[in-house]
Amino acid sequence: MASGDSLLDYMATQTINLGTIIHNYTICRQLAGGTECAGLVKADAYGMGIKHVAPALFHEANCRIFFVANFAEALKLRQILPEAVIYVLNGIFSSHVDFFISHNLRPVLNDLAQVILWQRISPENRPACAIHFDTGINRLGLSPKETAQFINDINLRKGLDISLIMSHLACSDDPEDPMNARQLADFKTITRSFPDIPASLANSGGILLGPDYHFDLVRPGLLMFGGNPSKGAMPKNIKIPFKILGKILQIRTIGAGQSVGYGATWTAKQPRHIATINIGYADGYSQMFNNCGWAYIKGVKVPVVGRVSMDMIAVDVTDVNPQEIGPECDVELLGPHITLEMAAEVSTLSQYEILTGVRERYQRIYIKNS
Ligand SMILES: *Cc1c(COP(=O)(O)O)cnc(C)c1O
């Protein structure tokens, strides 16, 4: 029910527990055996709000190294954390060089052209850089041919301040996949040519693959935010730091044969109580949840029925005590009871896509107790 007299009390909310994110970050570090641990805060900290998440990690968890996807995210983060080390995963365009220098951003150099671009800059104010070697994901990073060139031609790294060498795993969600061991072996070989430079291979899934994958720095994202990056069981100390709550707008009783929602894709077989909730696909609640999502009301898990509309969904609340529910009543769509893993499974969306799809229409509420 509404807790105060603010108009915002009637909006759907995304509650984010910063204490739990800090807790999960600490668990990531422990799982990585105390290896240095970066904070991955791309895509607005996986939809949790970089403005709140990054300072919490920096000031309260002693996280000093951050990765963002692009230059715009890096500028935003630099304003929030003047002292942090910031790496930009997408690399660098020549037109952005001056900004990288003036805002002390470290590019992740993804091909030899970027290496040469960075090398040509006068070293006085030039930030350090990371070199990304592609060991099989074929997305970004020096190709095997470029890697060989970079290793053999000492001129290519002359004068560069390389603070990190890295690669990225393609299949870390599946411990059984032989690609992990292949990428590990290739990356190990590369690290032998750079014995004095810190190395990094593991994202969240990579952390769970074990100590061989940890090197000098791990790069968790999803695990910090309570997702399970692996097909295996969730590490038991990881907690869910967010909750998405909608509110019941209306409850109606429908008879057998009546349908719900656009396209009339769901039809009641017996009389049912249907609650309409104030969250739809414009909030990021995807139509992939049509007729298969779940919500949680007053201790009962209830199914989404019919199609997700722009601003609403309908859930079948027949199993909930009607005395306990009515308009304004809170409904969990994602959180401790409807977990990301569960939502991903029914919708076939990835946990990453569900999290980063959360739109700003929610009223975001930050809390700090762990
Ligand atoms: C996004 C990303 C990560 C973090 O991945 P998670 O699976 O969320 O832990 C790590 N490294 C790179 C290069 C990435 O792009």
Side-chain angles (χ1 to χ4, degrees):
M1 299 284 155
S3 56
D5 53 7
S6 158
L7 288 176
L8 289 175
D9 283 343
Y10 298 92
M11 290 176 67
T13 58
Q14 178 193 18
T15 302
I16 295 144
N17 190 330
L18 295 171
T20 306
I21 294 174
I22 290 165
H23 164 87
N24 288 345
Y25 170 83
T26 310
I27 299 294
C28 287
R29 215 160 45 192
Q30 281 170 15
L31 288 167
T35 304
E36 175 136 39
C37 188
L40 274 280
V41 290
K42 56 192 181 182
D44 200 26
Y46 288 54
M48 309 268 170
I50 192 172
K51 247 166 110 174
H52 295 262
V53 170
L57 289 172
F58 187 90
H59 295 295
E60 283 159 61
N62 220 18
C63 175
R64 287 292 173 268
I65 302 177
F66 292 84
F67 286 81
V68 292
N70 60 42
F71 167 64
E73 292 177 350
L75 283 185
K76 190 168 173 190
L77 182 56
R78 177 53 78 217
Q79 279 164 10
I80 302 165
L81 292 177
E83 310 288 328
V85 170
I86 302 175
Y87 286 103
V88 181
L89 287 165
N90 285 4
I92 186 165
F93 291 140
S94 53
S95 51
H96 291 161
V97 164
D98 290 344
F99 294 101
F100 272 72
I101 296 170
S102 58
H103 292 88
N104 189 21
L105 308 174
R106 297 187 185 183
V108 174
L109 302 176
N110 286 316
D111 59 30
L112 284 183
Q114 292 183 8
V115 168
I116 291 162
L117 173 71
W118 200 242
Q119 204 183 24
R120 284 203 187 121
I121 299 160
S122 137
E124 287 115 74
N125 305 314
R126 185 185 57 194
C129 62
I131 311 283
H132 181 186
F133 299 100
D134 177 25
T135 52
I137 195 168
N138 276 311
R139 208 173 58 164
L140 292 175
L142 275 66
S143 66
K145 192 170 151 221
E146 286 190 316
T147 299
Q149 272 178 278
F150 187 74
I151 287 172
N152 295 324
D153 183 354
I154 197 89
N155 285 321
L156 283 170
R157 63 182 115 136
K158 207 181 256 165
L160 275 186
D161 177 7
I162 304 172
S163 52
L164 186 71
I165 57 170
M166 59 175 273
S167 190
H168 191 47
L169 296 164
C171 303
S172 66
D173 59 328
D174 184 0
E176 306 291 314
D177 198 305
M179 187 144 179
N180 294 318
R182 275 207 303 274
Q183 288 192 273
L184 175 62
D186 287 352
F187 188 59
K188 260 193 187 148
T189 306
I190 293 166
T191 61
R192 283 192 206 109
S193 300
F194 307 94
D196 302 326
I197 301 176
S200 175
L201 178 63
N203 60 343
S204 298
I207 292 175
L208 303 183
L209 292 176
D212 283 354
Y213 289 81
H214 296 162
F215 294 90
D216 305 300
L217 176 77
V218 293
R219 310 189 304 267
L222 190 67
L223 202 47
M224 276 197 301
F225 300 113
N228 184 357
S230 170
K231 290 191 173 136
M234 181 80 145
K236 69 172 184 303
N237 293 322
I238 294 290
K239 296 181 188 162
I240 308 229
F242 56 85
K243 186 153 65 173
I244 287 187
L245 293 181
K247 287 193 185 290
I248 295 179
L249 300 171
Q250 235 187 44
I251 301 179
R252 63 216 301 111
T253 304
I254 63 171
Q258 288 195 284
S259 65
V260 173
Y262 284 123
T265 61
W266 184 88
T267 303
K269 294 194 185 81
Q270 311 105 16
R272 306 304 282 174
H273 298 302
I274 303 295
T276 305
I277 315 293
N278 65 343
I279 287 177
Y281 58 75
D283 302 284
Y285 194 79
S286 166
Q287 288 200 319
M288 296 298 277
F289 291 107
N290 288 354
N291 285 307
C292 68
W294 291 95
Y296 185 84
I297 307 177
K298 299 287 178 201
V300 184
K301 210 178 134 195
V302 299
V304 171
V305 294
R307 276 192 200 153
V308 174
S309 307
M310 185 185 289
D311 313 303
M312 281 167 264
I313 54 171
V315 296
D316 180 345
V317 294
T318 313
D319 293 342
V320 188
N321 179 354
Q323 308 300 323
E324 285 191 42
I325 54 171
E328 299 183 37
C329 189
D330 285 332
V331 179
E332 177 185 321
L333 285 176
L334 208 57
H337 302 98
I338 308 295
T339 65
L340 256 187
E341 268 184 288
M342 201 192 274
E345 195 182 322
V346 297
S347 65
T348 74
L349 292 166
S350 78
Q351 295 172 49
Y352 299 86
E353 193 172 345
I354 294 172
L355 273 189
T356 57
V358 172
R359 300 285 194 287
E360 298 201 353
R361 190 154 70 162
Y362 294 104
Q363 186 199 356
R364 270 186 184 160
I365 300 169
Y366 288 92
I367 54 176
K368 245 193 185 148
N369 50 317
S370 178

